[in-house]
Structure formats: C-alpha cells, structure tokens
Amino acid sequence: MSDVHHPQSPHEGHDGHEHHDGHDRYEGQTHWPSAWPHPAALPVPALVDAAWLHQRLHQRQHQHQHRDAVVLLQVDDDSSSYYERHLPGARPIDTFDELHQHVRRGPLHRAGFEHLMDAKGVHRGDHVVLYSAGDPTHAAFAFWLMRLYGHPRLSLLDGGLRAWAAAGHPLSQDVPTWPGPHPAPAHTDGTDGTDGTDGTDGTDGTRDTAYTADERDASLIIGREEVLTRYVDAPAPALVLDCRTPGEYQGSSHHQLDVAAERHRVPGHVPGSRNLPSALVLNPEGTFKTREQLRQLFASRNLAADSQVVVYCRLAERSALLWFALAELLGHEPVRHYVGGWAEYGSLIDAPVTREDAPVEHG
C-alpha cells in the first residue's frame, strides 16, 4: 500500500500521520508508573510495511525485550514453506489444520482459539504481526479470526514475506522455541474441544488456558439464516460483496477444487450480490492499493457510508482479504464475514441463486 510504506517513525500509522503513542517515554524503563499506559495497552497500525517492522524489531533487540512483545506468525495453507524460509523468530500457522474446527466445518470456537494462542506462545497483550509466504488471504483470515475473539494488537505485513525479502531483510530456517501449550481438556464425545459440542464456545465450563479470549464479536460474522432472511436481493443499505472470480460469480466456471460432476454445489451467486474479486484490492507485487484507490473500488460496487456489508467467497480466505481492506484500512462498519461462503450457500436445498445463463425453471 503506497501510502503505508516506510513511516518516518515506528509510531506512524498506516494513515500516514504520526501517532504519538507515548512509547518514547518508556525507553529504558523496567517498570511502568501507574499513570502511564503499559505498552501492551497502546494501539498499533493494522497494516505495516517491511521497513516499519524491521525498525520495530531492531529497536526491541537493543532495548528491554519485555516492554513491548512482538510475535510474528507466518500463516499459509500449509506449513511446509515456513521450514524453507521465514522471518527470523516467526512461528508457523497452518490455515486449514489450525484455524478451523477439526470435526465440524467452520472457524475455531473460543476454546480452540485459546488453545491455539497458548500453543503459539501468544499472550493477550502481545503485538501480533501476521504475514504469508504466498497468498496473503491466509494471513488476512488469521487477522479476522484474532479480531473476532478480541485480540487487541494486530498488524498485517503489507506484501508479506515477498516484500520483506525484496527489501533486503534477513530470512531464516531456524525454528525458534516458545512456551508450549497447556494440555487440552478431555471430552467424552471424542473431539478435541474445538467443535463447540459442549457449549457455544466449545468448552464444558472449565478453563485450562493461559490466554483468555473474548466472546465472538457478532458484528464481524454472519450465518446463513441471516443471509437468507436479510440480505438476499435486499435493497440498500444492504450490500453483499462476492469476492470470487467473475467466472465463479457468473456461474460459468468452478473453483479448481470443486467437483462439478457431483452437482453437490450449484454455480452462481447470492441474488443481489455484487462481484468484487479480492485480487483487485492488491497491487501486482501483492501490497495493498492506496486508500483512495480502495475507496473508488468499493464505491464502484455501490458502497455508501450507511452500507451494511456482508462479504463472502467460496470458503473464507479470499473474503477475509476484502474484509481487511474495507473494515481495517477504510474503517467501514459494519462489515460481516459470511464464513460459510459459496461452499455452504451453493449446497443449500431451495436457496435462491442467480446465474447468468440459468434456464427458466417451472414448477
């Protein structure tokens, strides 16, 4: 994102303005006067570039390490690329194996998320910087998930590993060590406690994690029933954005992982939705477009100040990228993520579907 790249100081936000967050007052401090906010309570920019991150990490190496913990998480569709190269000190996350429930389909419930944070050595006050080696949608999905459970200090590395390497910053194959996870609770249903079978948050009322998450933020997520009743062919201010490719949206092509012969999922899109492929929010090198470019892009899909936005794709990764651009970079509210996506909606019996070449059906 061109209006993000290299802030003049590590306190400059992604809006290009200096944020006097008070960090300078803490240089050399080993304890914090009660009248001063602890660094863990200070805000951080949602989008940072390689220069910003390198400067922040360099500062930490020459100051008291505990004063403002930065945790790097590399998020990819699988972790194999992490072991080839990663940012020094980064920890791996596998999108499909670690960010989703293991029995039911869907993102982690609260208990599973808390165990994941413990497993990665993440504390509630840590500044977590997320990035991907390849497709940035995976880091964006992890960002959305952490925001869903209220982690307060999150940043996305603009351009990911590719931008970091292009800037000449070091990469590593060393796997760091960090505090291990707490043992998972025993469940009589044979699950690992991440599927919500014992309660709305996936627990049986006990807690054995060091990390404590908030309840899910309902303003960031939406389910199929509300999509069907409130957003199908709904007038403004409702606005549904389909983040898939034009071919998927029109129903003329399938995602490469779909098996068209099974006809388990019809092609097309949610009636009334507008197509905005997630790739359009990025520059060719994988960084985000400027805020003005993003405003024009969303305005071309009829975004207004009062729009009640829902985003979806096939699963939930591509739409997470659009959610990040609209909610975090442009500050629009509300933007709710339909994580079921077309994988769910296109499989529903008798749900209304629009397809460009659909024949007229009778009866």
Side-chain angles (χ1 to χ4, degrees), residues 236-320:
L239 177 62
V240 180
L241 296 176
D242 183 316
C243 311
R244 299 174 297 157
T245 64
E248 290 174 278
Y249 174 80
Q250 295 165 2
S252 59
S253 65
H254 291 269
H255 188 275
Q256 59 184 354
L257 298 181
D258 280 338
V259 183
E262 290 184 355
R263 300 183 65 85
H264 65 295
R265 186 177 303 124
V266 299
H269 57 267
V270 174
S273 64
R274 295 178 176 273
N275 186 217
L276 204 173
S278 58
L280 295 183
V281 305
L282 299 176
N283 295 308
E285 69 275 14
T287 59
F288 280 91
K289 293 182 176 177
T290 67
R291 274 188 182 73
E292 184 54 36
Q293 289 173 320
L294 292 175
R295 288 189 188 99
Q296 293 178 10
L297 181 63
F298 284 103
S300 71
R301 270 62 173 185
N302 285 5
L303 178 74
D306 64 343
S307 293
Q308 308 285 311
V309 182
V310 168
V311 295
Y312 77 93
C313 61
R314 174 178 169 268
L315 294 173
E317 283 76 39
R318 286 180 284 178
S319 46

Coordinates of all heavy atoms in Angstrom, one line a residue, residues 236-320:
A236 N -30.6 -1.4 -0.6 CA -29.7 -0.6 0.2 C -30.5 -0.2 1.5 O -31.7 0.0 1.5 CB -29.2 0.6 -0.5
P237 N -29.7 -0.2 2.6 CA -28.3 -0.2 2.8 C -27.6 -1.6 2.8 O -26.4 -1.6 3.0 CB -28.1 0.5 4.1 CG -29.3 0.1 4.9 CD -30.4 0.1 3.9
A238 N -28.4 -2.7 2.6 CA -27.7 -4.0 2.5 C -26.8 -4.0 1.3 O -27.2 -3.6 0.2 CB -28.8 -5.1 2.4
L239 N -25.6 -4.6 1.4 CA -24.7 -4.7 0.3 C -23.9 -6.0 0.5 O -23.2 -6.2 1.5 CB -23.7 -3.5 0.3 CG -22.6 -3.6 -0.8 CD1 -23.2 -3.6 -2.2 CD2 -21.7 -2.4 -0.7
V240 N -24.1 -6.9 -0.4 CA -23.4 -8.2 -0.4 C -22.3 -8.2 -1.4 O -22.6 -8.0 -2.6 CB -24.3 -9.4 -0.6 CG1 -23.6 -10.7 -0.5 CG2 -25.4 -9.4 0.5
L241 N -21.1 -8.5 -1.0 CA -19.9 -8.5 -2.0 C -19.4 -9.9 -2.1 O -19.0 -10.5 -1.1 CB -18.8 -7.6 -1.5 CG -19.2 -6.1 -1.4 CD1 -18.0 -5.3 -0.8 CD2 -19.6 -5.5 -2.8
D242 N -19.5 -10.4 -3.3 CA -18.9 -11.7 -3.7 C -17.5 -11.6 -4.1 O -17.2 -10.9 -5.1 CB -19.8 -12.3 -4.8 CG -19.4 -13.7 -5.2 OD1 -18.2 -14.0 -5.3 OD2 -20.3 -14.6 -5.4
C243 N -16.6 -12.2 -3.4 CA -15.1 -11.9 -3.6 C -14.5 -12.9 -4.6 O -13.3 -12.9 -4.7 CB -14.4 -11.9 -2.3 SG -15.2 -10.9 -1.0
R244 N -15.3 -13.8 -5.2 CA -14.7 -14.8 -6.1 C -14.4 -14.2 -7.5 O -14.6 -13.0 -7.7 CB -15.7 -16.0 -6.2 CG -16.0 -16.7 -4.9 CD -17.1 -17.7 -5.0 NE -18.3 -17.1 -5.5 CZ -19.3 -17.7 -6.1 NH1 -19.2 -19.0 -6.4 NH2 -20.4 -17.1 -6.4
T245 N -13.9 -15.1 -8.3 CA -13.6 -14.6 -9.7 C -14.9 -14.3 -10.5 O -15.9 -14.9 -10.1 CB -12.8 -15.7 -10.4 OG1 -13.6 -16.9 -10.6 CG2 -11.5 -16.0 -9.7
P246 N -14.8 -13.5 -11.5 CA -16.0 -13.3 -12.3 C -16.6 -14.6 -12.8 O -17.9 -14.7 -12.9 CB -15.5 -12.4 -13.5 CG -14.3 -11.7 -12.9 CD -13.7 -12.7 -11.9
G247 N -15.8 -15.5 -13.2 CA -16.4 -16.8 -13.7 C -17.2 -17.6 -12.6 O -18.2 -18.1 -12.9
E248 N -16.6 -17.6 -11.4 CA -17.3 -18.3 -10.3 C -18.6 -17.5 -10.0 O -19.7 -18.1 -9.7 CB -16.5 -18.3 -9.1 CG -15.3 -19.2 -9.2 CD -14.4 -19.1 -7.9 OE1 -13.5 -18.2 -7.9 OE2 -14.5 -19.9 -7.0
Y249 N -18.5 -16.2 -10.0 CA -19.7 -15.4 -9.7 C -20.8 -15.6 -10.7 O -22.0 -15.7 -10.4 CB -19.3 -13.9 -9.7 CG -20.4 -12.9 -9.5 CD1 -21.0 -12.6 -8.2 CD2 -20.9 -12.2 -10.6 CE1 -22.0 -11.7 -8.1 CE2 -21.9 -11.3 -10.4 CZ -22.5 -11.0 -9.2 OH -23.5 -10.1 -9.0
Q250 N -20.4 -15.5 -12.0 CA -21.4 -15.7 -13.1 C -22.0 -17.1 -13.2 O -23.0 -17.3 -13.7 CB -20.8 -15.3 -14.4 CG -20.4 -13.8 -14.5 CD -19.5 -13.5 -15.6 OE1 -19.1 -14.4 -16.4 NE2 -19.1 -12.2 -15.7
G251 N -21.2 -18.1 -12.6 CA -21.6 -19.5 -12.7 C -21.1 -20.2 -13.9 O -21.5 -21.3 -14.2
S252 N -20.2 -19.5 -14.7 CA -19.7 -20.1 -15.9 C -18.4 -21.0 -15.6 O -18.0 -21.7 -16.5 CB -19.3 -19.0 -16.9 OG -18.3 -18.1 -16.3
S253 N -17.9 -20.9 -14.4 CA -16.7 -21.8 -14.1 C -16.8 -22.2 -12.7 O -17.5 -21.6 -11.8 CB -15.4 -21.0 -14.4 OG -15.3 -19.9 -13.5
H254 N -16.0 -23.2 -12.3 CA -16.0 -23.8 -11.0 C -14.6 -23.5 -10.4 O -13.6 -23.3 -11.2 CB -16.2 -25.3 -10.9 CG -17.6 -25.7 -11.3 ND1 -18.6 -25.8 -10.3 CD2 -18.2 -26.0 -12.5 CE1 -19.7 -26.2 -10.9 NE2 -19.5 -26.3 -12.2
H255 N -14.5 -23.4 -9.1 CA -13.2 -23.4 -8.5 C -12.5 -24.7 -8.8 O -13.2 -25.8 -8.9 CB -13.3 -23.2 -7.0 CG -12.0 -23.0 -6.3 ND1 -11.2 -24.0 -5.8 CD2 -11.4 -21.8 -5.9 CE1 -10.2 -23.5 -5.2 NE2 -10.2 -22.2 -5.3
Q256 N -11.2 -24.7 -8.9 CA -10.4 -25.9 -9.3 C -10.6 -27.1 -8.3 O -10.4 -28.2 -8.6 CB -8.9 -25.6 -9.4 CG -8.3 -25.0 -8.1 CD -6.9 -24.6 -8.3 OE1 -6.3 -24.8 -9.3 NE2 -6.3 -24.1 -7.2
L257 N -11.0 -26.8 -7.0 CA -11.2 -27.8 -6.0 C -12.6 -28.4 -6.0 O -12.9 -29.3 -5.3 CB -10.8 -27.3 -4.7 CG -9.3 -26.9 -4.5 CD1 -9.1 -26.5 -3.1 CD2 -8.4 -28.1 -4.9
D258 N -13.5 -27.7 -6.7 CA -14.9 -28.2 -6.8 C -15.0 -29.4 -7.8 O -14.3 -29.3 -8.9 CB -15.9 -27.1 -7.2 CG -16.2 -26.2 -6.0 OD1 -16.1 -26.7 -4.9 OD2 -16.6 -25.1 -6.3
V259 N -15.8 -30.3 -7.5 CA -16.0 -31.5 -8.5 C -17.4 -31.2 -9.1 O -18.4 -31.6 -8.5 CB -16.0 -32.8 -7.7 CG1 -16.1 -34.0 -8.7 CG2 -14.7 -32.9 -7.0
A260 N -17.4 -30.7 -10.3 CA -18.6 -30.3 -11.0 C -19.5 -31.5 -11.2 O -20.8 -31.4 -11.2 CB -18.3 -29.6 -12.3
A261 N -19.0 -32.6 -11.5 CA -19.8 -33.8 -11.9 C -20.7 -34.2 -10.7 O -21.7 -34.9 -11.0 CB -18.9 -35.0 -12.3
E262 N -20.3 -33.9 -9.5 CA -21.1 -34.4 -8.3 C -22.4 -33.5 -8.2 O -23.4 -34.0 -7.5 CB -20.3 -34.3 -7.0 CG -19.2 -35.4 -7.0 CD -18.5 -35.3 -5.6 OE1 -18.8 -34.4 -4.8 OE2 -17.7 -36.2 -5.4
R263 N -22.4 -32.3 -8.7 CA -23.5 -31.4 -8.7 C -24.0 -31.2 -7.2 O -25.2 -31.0 -6.9 CB -24.7 -31.9 -9.5 CG -24.4 -32.1 -11.0 CD -25.6 -32.6 -11.8 NE -26.6 -31.6 -11.8 CZ -26.7 -30.5 -12.6 NH1 -25.7 -30.4 -13.5 NH2 -27.7 -29.7 -12.6
H264 N -23.0 -31.3 -6.3 CA -23.4 -31.1 -4.9 C -23.5 -29.6 -4.6 O -24.0 -29.2 -3.5 CB -22.3 -31.7 -4.0 CG -20.9 -31.1 -4.1 ND1 -20.2 -31.1 -5.3 CD2 -20.2 -30.4 -3.3 CE1 -19.1 -30.5 -5.1 NE2 -19.0 -30.0 -3.9
R265 N -22.9 -28.8 -5.5 CA -22.9 -27.3 -5.3 C -23.3 -26.7 -6.6 O -22.6 -26.9 -7.6 CB -21.6 -26.8 -4.8 CG -21.5 -25.4 -4.4 CD -20.2 -25.0 -3.8 NE -19.9 -25.9 -2.7 CZ -18.8 -26.6 -2.6 NH1 -17.9 -26.7 -3.6 NH2 -18.6 -27.4 -1.5
V266 N -24.3 -25.9 -6.7 CA -24.7 -25.2 -7.9 C -23.8 -24.0 -8.1 O -23.3 -23.4 -7.2 CB -26.2 -24.8 -7.9 CG1 -27.1 -26.0 -7.7 CG2 -26.4 -23.8 -6.8
P267 N -23.6 -23.6 -9.4 CA -22.8 -22.4 -9.7 C -23.7 -21.2 -9.6 O -25.0 -21.3 -9.7 CB -22.3 -22.7 -11.1 CG -23.4 -23.5 -11.7 CD -23.9 -24.4 -10.6
G268 N -23.1 -20.0 -9.5 CA -23.9 -18.8 -9.4 C -23.5 -18.0 -8.2 O -22.4 -18.1 -7.7
H269 N -24.4 -17.1 -7.8 CA -24.1 -16.2 -6.7 C -25.4 -15.8 -5.9 O -26.5 -16.1 -6.4 CB -23.4 -14.9 -7.1 CG -24.2 -14.1 -8.2 ND1 -24.0 -14.3 -9.5 CD2 -25.2 -13.2 -8.0 CE1 -24.8 -13.5 -10.2 NE2 -25.5 -12.8 -9.3
V270 N -25.2 -15.3 -4.7 CA -26.3 -14.8 -3.9 C -27.1 -13.7 -4.7 O -26.4 -12.7 -5.1 CB -25.8 -14.3 -2.6 CG1 -27.0 -13.7 -1.8 CG2 -25.2 -15.4 -1.8
P271 N -28.4 -13.8 -4.9 CA -29.1 -12.8 -5.6 C -28.9 -11.4 -5.0 O -29.0 -11.3 -3.8 CB -30.6 -13.3 -5.5 CG -30.5 -14.8 -5.3 CD -29.2 -15.0 -4.5
G272 N -28.6 -10.5 -5.9 CA -28.4 -9.1 -5.4 C -27.0 -8.8 -5.0 O -26.6 -7.6 -4.8
S273 N -26.1 -9.8 -5.0 CA -24.7 -9.5 -4.6 C -24.0 -8.9 -5.8 O -24.4 -9.1 -6.9 CB -24.0 -10.8 -4.1 OG -24.0 -11.8 -5.2
R274 N -22.9 -8.2 -5.4 CA -22.0 -7.6 -6.5 C -20.7 -8.3 -6.4 O -20.2 -8.6 -5.4 CB -21.9 -6.1 -6.2 CG -23.3 -5.4 -6.4 CD -23.2 -3.9 -6.1 NE -24.4 -3.3 -6.4 CZ -24.8 -2.8 -7.6 NH1 -24.0 -2.9 -8.6 NH2 -26.0 -2.2 -7.8
N275 N -20.1 -8.4 -7.6 CA -18.8 -9.1 -7.7 C -17.7 -8.1 -7.5 O -17.6 -7.1 -8.2 CB -18.7 -9.8 -9.0 CG -17.5 -10.7 -9.2 OD1 -16.9 -10.7 -10.2 ND2 -17.1 -11.4 -8.1
L276 N -16.8 -8.4 -6.5 CA -15.6 -7.6 -6.3 C -14.5 -8.6 -6.0 O -14.2 -8.9 -4.8 CB -15.7 -6.6 -5.2 CG -14.8 -5.4 -5.3 CD1 -15.2 -4.3 -4.3 CD2 -13.3 -5.7 -5.1
P277 N -13.8 -9.2 -7.0 CA -12.7 -10.2 -6.8 C -11.7 -9.6 -5.8 O -11.2 -8.5 -5.9 CB -12.1 -10.4 -8.1 CG -13.3 -10.1 -9.1 CD -14.0 -9.0 -8.5
S278 N -11.3 -10.4 -4.8 CA -10.4 -9.9 -3.8 C -9.1 -9.5 -4.3 O -8.4 -8.6 -3.8 CB -10.2 -11.0 -2.7 OG -9.7 -12.2 -3.3
A279 N -8.6 -10.1 -5.4 CA -7.3 -9.7 -6.0 C -7.3 -8.2 -6.4 O -6.2 -7.7 -6.5 CB -7.0 -10.6 -7.2
L280 N -8.4 -7.6 -6.6 CA -8.4 -6.2 -7.1 C -8.0 -5.2 -6.0 O -7.7 -4.1 -6.3 CB -9.8 -5.9 -7.6 CG -10.3 -6.6 -8.8 CD1 -11.7 -6.1 -9.3 CD2 -9.3 -6.4 -10.0
V281 N -8.0 -5.7 -4.7 CA -7.5 -4.7 -3.7 C -6.0 -4.7 -3.6 O -5.5 -3.9 -2.8 CB -8.1 -5.1 -2.3 CG1 -9.7 -5.1 -2.4 CG2 -7.6 -6.4 -1.7
L282 N -5.3 -5.5 -4.4 CA -3.9 -5.6 -4.3 C -3.2 -5.1 -5.5 O -3.7 -5.2 -6.6 CB -3.4 -7.1 -4.1 CG -3.9 -7.8 -2.8 CD1 -3.5 -9.2 -2.8 CD2 -3.4 -7.1 -1.5
N283 N -2.0 -4.6 -5.3 CA -1.1 -4.3 -6.5 C -0.5 -5.6 -7.0 O -0.5 -6.6 -6.3 CB 0.0 -3.3 -6.0 CG -0.6 -2.0 -5.6 OD1 -1.3 -1.3 -6.3 ND2 -0.2 -1.5 -4.4
P284 N 0.1 -5.5 -8.2 CA 0.7 -6.7 -8.8 C 1.8 -7.4 -7.9 O 1.9 -8.6 -7.9 CB 1.4 -6.2 -10.1 CG 0.5 -5.1 -10.5 CD 0.2 -4.4 -9.2
E285 N 2.5 -6.6 -7.1 CA 3.5 -7.2 -6.2 C 3.0 -7.7 -4.9 O 3.7 -8.2 -4.0 CB 4.6 -6.1 -5.9 CG 4.2 -5.0 -5.0 CD 3.5 -3.8 -5.8 OE1 3.2 -4.1 -7.0 OE2 3.4 -2.7 -5.2
G286 N 1.6 -7.6 -4.7 CA 1.0 -8.2 -3.5 C 0.8 -7.2 -2.4 O 0.3 -7.6 -1.3
T287 N 1.1 -5.9 -2.5 CA 0.8 -5.0 -1.5 C -0.6 -4.4 -1.7 O -1.1 -4.4 -2.8 CB 1.8 -3.8 -1.5 OG1 1.8 -3.2 -2.8 CG2 3.2 -4.4 -1.2
F288 N -1.2 -3.8 -0.7 CA -2.5 -3.2 -0.8 C -2.4 -1.9 -1.6 O -1.5 -1.1 -1.6 CB -3.1 -2.9 0.5 CG -3.7 -4.1 1.2 CD1 -2.9 -4.9 2.1 CD2 -5.0 -4.4 1.0 CE1 -3.4 -6.0 2.7 CE2 -5.5 -5.6 1.6 CZ -4.8 -6.3 2.4
K289 N -3.5 -1.6 -2.4 CA -3.6 -0.4 -3.1 C -3.8 0.8 -2.1 O -4.1 0.5 -0.9 CB -4.8 -0.4 -4.1 CG -4.5 -1.4 -5.2 CD -5.7 -1.5 -6.2 CE -5.3 -2.4 -7.4 NZ -6.5 -2.5 -8.4
T290 N -3.7 2.0 -2.6 CA -3.8 3.1 -1.7 C -5.3 3.3 -1.2 O -6.2 2.7 -1.8 CB -3.5 4.4 -2.4 OG1 -4.4 4.7 -3.4 CG2 -2.1 4.4 -3.0
R291 N -5.5 4.0 -0.1 CA -6.8 4.2 0.4 C -7.7 4.8 -0.7 O -8.9 4.5 -0.8 CB -6.8 5.1 1.6 CG -6.5 4.3 2.9 CD -6.6 5.2 4.1 NE -6.3 4.4 5.3 CZ -5.1 4.0 5.6 NH1 -4.1 4.4 4.8 NH2 -4.9 3.3 6.7
E292 N -7.2 5.8 -1.4 CA -8.1 6.4 -2.4 C -8.5 5.4 -3.5 O -9.6 5.4 -3.9 CB -7.4 7.6 -3.0 CG -8.2 8.4 -4.0 CD -9.6 8.9 -3.4 OE1 -9.6 9.2 -2.2 OE2 -10.6 8.8 -4.2
Q293 N -7.6 4.6 -3.9 CA -7.9 3.6 -4.9 C -8.9 2.6 -4.3 O -9.8 2.2 -5.0 CB -6.6 2.8 -5.3 CG -5.7 3.6 -6.2 CD -4.4 2.9 -6.4 OE1 -3.8 2.2 -5.5 NE2 -3.8 3.0 -7.6
L294 N -8.8 2.2 -3.1 CA -9.7 1.3 -2.4 C -11.1 2.0 -2.3 O -12.1 1.3 -2.6 CB -9.2 0.9 -1.1 CG -8.0 0.0 -1.0 CD1 -7.5 -0.3 0.4 CD2 -8.2 -1.3 -1.7
R295 N -11.1 3.2 -1.9 CA -12.4 3.9 -1.9 C -13.1 3.9 -3.2 O -14.4 3.7 -3.3 CB -12.2 5.4 -1.4 CG -11.8 5.5 0.1 CD -11.8 7.0 0.5 NE -11.3 7.1 1.9 CZ -10.0 7.5 2.1 NH1 -9.2 7.8 1.1 NH2 -9.6 7.6 3.4
Q296 N -12.4 4.2 -4.3 CA -13.0 4.2 -5.6 C -13.5 2.8 -6.0 O -14.6 2.7 -6.6 CB -12.0 4.7 -6.6 CG -11.7 6.2 -6.4 CD -10.6 6.7 -7.4 OE1 -10.3 6.0 -8.4 NE2 -10.1 7.9 -7.2
L297 N -12.7 1.8 -5.6 CA -13.1 0.4 -6.0 C -14.4 0.0 -5.3 O -15.3 -0.5 -5.9 CB -11.9 -0.5 -5.5 CG -12.1 -2.0 -5.8 CD1 -12.2 -2.2 -7.3 CD2 -10.9 -2.8 -5.2
F298 N -14.5 0.3 -4.0 CA -15.7 -0.1 -3.3 C -16.9 0.8 -3.7 O -18.0 0.3 -3.8 CB -15.5 0.0 -1.8 CG -14.7 -1.2 -1.2 CD1 -13.3 -1.0 -0.9 CD2 -15.3 -2.4 -1.1 CE1 -12.6 -2.1 -0.4 CE2 -14.6 -3.5 -0.6 CZ -13.2 -3.3 -0.2
A299 N -16.6 2.1 -4.0 CA -17.7 2.9 -4.5 C -18.3 2.4 -5.8 O -19.5 2.6 -6.0 CB -17.2 4.4 -4.6
S300 N -17.4 1.8 -6.6 CA -17.9 1.3 -7.9 C -18.9 0.1 -7.7 O -19.6 -0.3 -8.6 CB -16.7 0.8 -8.8 OG -16.1 -0.3 -8.2
R301 N -18.9 -0.5 -6.5 CA -19.8 -1.5 -6.1 C -21.0 -1.0 -5.2 O -21.6 -1.7 -4.5 CB -19.1 -2.7 -5.4 CG -18.6 -3.7 -6.4 CD -17.6 -3.2 -7.4 NE -17.0 -4.3 -8.2 CZ -16.0 -4.1 -9.0 NH1 -15.5 -2.9 -9.2 NH2 -15.5 -5.1 -9.7
N302 N -21.2 0.3 -5.3 CA -22.3 1.0 -4.6 C -22.1 1.1 -3.1 O -23.1 1.2 -2.3 CB -23.6 0.3 -4.9 CG -24.1 0.7 -6.3 OD1 -23.4 1.3 -7.1 ND2 -25.3 0.2 -6.6
L303 N -20.9 1.0 -2.6 CA -20.7 1.2 -1.2 C -21.0 2.6 -0.8 O -20.6 3.6 -1.4 CB -19.2 0.9 -0.8 CG -18.9 1.2 0.7 CD1 -19.5 0.0 1.6 CD2 -17.4 1.3 0.9
A304 N -21.8 2.8 0.3 CA -22.2 4.1 0.8 C -21.8 4.1 2.3 O -21.5 3.1 2.9 CB -23.6 4.4 0.6
A305 N -21.9 5.3 2.9 CA -21.5 5.4 4.3 C -22.3 4.6 5.2 O -21.9 4.1 6.2 CB -21.6 6.9 4.7
D306 N -23.6 4.3 4.8 CA -24.5 3.6 5.7 C -24.7 2.1 5.2 O -25.5 1.4 5.8 CB -25.9 4.2 5.7 CG -26.6 4.3 4.3 OD1 -25.9 4.0 3.3 OD2 -27.8 4.5 4.3
S307 N -23.8 1.7 4.3 CA -24.0 0.3 3.8 C -23.7 -0.7 4.9 O -22.8 -0.6 5.7 CB -23.0 0.0 2.7 OG -23.3 0.8 1.5
Q308 N -24.6 -1.7 5.0 CA -24.5 -2.9 5.9 C -23.9 -4.0 5.1 O -24.6 -4.7 4.3 CB -25.9 -3.3 6.4 CG -26.6 -2.1 7.1 CD -26.1 -1.7 8.4 OE1 -25.9 -2.6 9.3 NE2 -25.8 -0.4 8.6
V309 N -22.6 -4.2 5.2 CA -21.9 -5.0 4.2 C -21.7 -6.5 4.7 O -21.4 -6.7 5.9 CB -20.5 -4.4 3.9 CG1 -19.7 -5.3 2.9 CG2 -20.6 -3.0 3.4
V310 N -21.9 -7.4 3.8 CA -21.6 -8.8 4.0 C -20.6 -9.2 2.9 O -20.8 -8.9 1.7 CB -22.8 -9.7 4.0 CG1 -22.4 -11.2 3.9 CG2 -23.7 -9.4 5.2
V311 N -19.5 -9.9 3.2 CA -18.5 -10.4 2.2 C -18.5 -11.9 2.3 O -18.6 -12.5 3.4 CB -17.1 -9.8 2.5 CG1 -17.1 -8.3 2.2 CG2 -16.6 -10.1 3.8
Y312 N -18.3 -12.5 1.1 CA -18.2 -14.0 1.1 C -17.4 -14.4 -0.1 O -17.3 -13.6 -1.1 CB -19.5 -14.7 1.1 CG -20.3 -14.7 -0.2 CD1 -20.1 -15.7 -1.1 CD2 -21.1 -13.6 -0.6 CE1 -20.8 -15.7 -2.4 CE2 -21.8 -13.6 -1.8 CZ -21.6 -14.7 -2.7 OH -22.3 -14.6 -3.9
C313 N -16.8 -15.6 -0.1 CA -16.2 -16.2 -1.2 C -16.6 -17.6 -1.3 O -17.7 -18.0 -0.9 CB -14.6 -16.0 -1.2 SG -13.8 -16.7 0.3
R314 N -15.7 -18.5 -1.7 CA -16.0 -19.9 -1.7 C -15.9 -20.5 -0.3 O -16.8 -21.2 0.2 CB -15.0 -20.7 -2.6 CG -15.2 -22.2 -2.6 CD -14.3 -22.8 -3.6 NE -14.2 -24.3 -3.4 CZ -13.4 -24.9 -2.6 NH1 -12.5 -24.2 -2.0 NH2 -13.4 -26.2 -2.5
L315 N -14.8 -20.2 0.4 CA -14.7 -20.6 1.8 C -14.7 -19.4 2.7 O -15.7 -18.8 2.9 CB -13.4 -21.5 1.9 CG -13.5 -22.8 1.2 CD1 -12.1 -23.5 1.3 CD2 -14.5 -23.7 1.8
A316 N -13.5 -18.9 3.1 CA -13.5 -17.7 3.9 C -12.2 -17.0 3.8 O -12.0 -16.0 4.5 CB -13.8 -18.1 5.4
E317 N -11.2 -17.4 3.0 CA -9.9 -16.8 2.9 C -9.9 -15.5 2.0 O -9.5 -14.5 2.4 CB -8.9 -17.8 2.4 CG -8.4 -18.7 3.5 CD -9.5 -19.8 3.7 OE1 -10.0 -20.3 2.7 OE2 -9.7 -20.2 4.9
R318 N -10.4 -15.7 0.8 CA -10.4 -14.5 -0.1 C -11.3 -13.4 0.4 O -10.9 -12.2 0.3 CB -10.9 -15.0 -1.5 CG -9.9 -15.8 -2.3 CD -10.5 -16.2 -3.7 NE -11.4 -17.3 -3.6 CZ -12.1 -17.8 -4.6 NH1 -11.9 -17.3 -5.8 NH2 -12.9 -18.8 -4.5
S319 N -12.4 -13.7 1.0 CA -13.3 -12.7 1.6 C -12.7 -12.0 2.8 O -13.0 -10.9 3.1 CB -14.7 -13.3 1.9 OG -14.6 -14.5 2.6
A320 N -11.8 -12.7 3.5 CA -11.1 -12.1 4.6 C -10.2 -11.0 4.1 O -10.0 -9.9 4.8 CB -10.2 -13.1 5.4

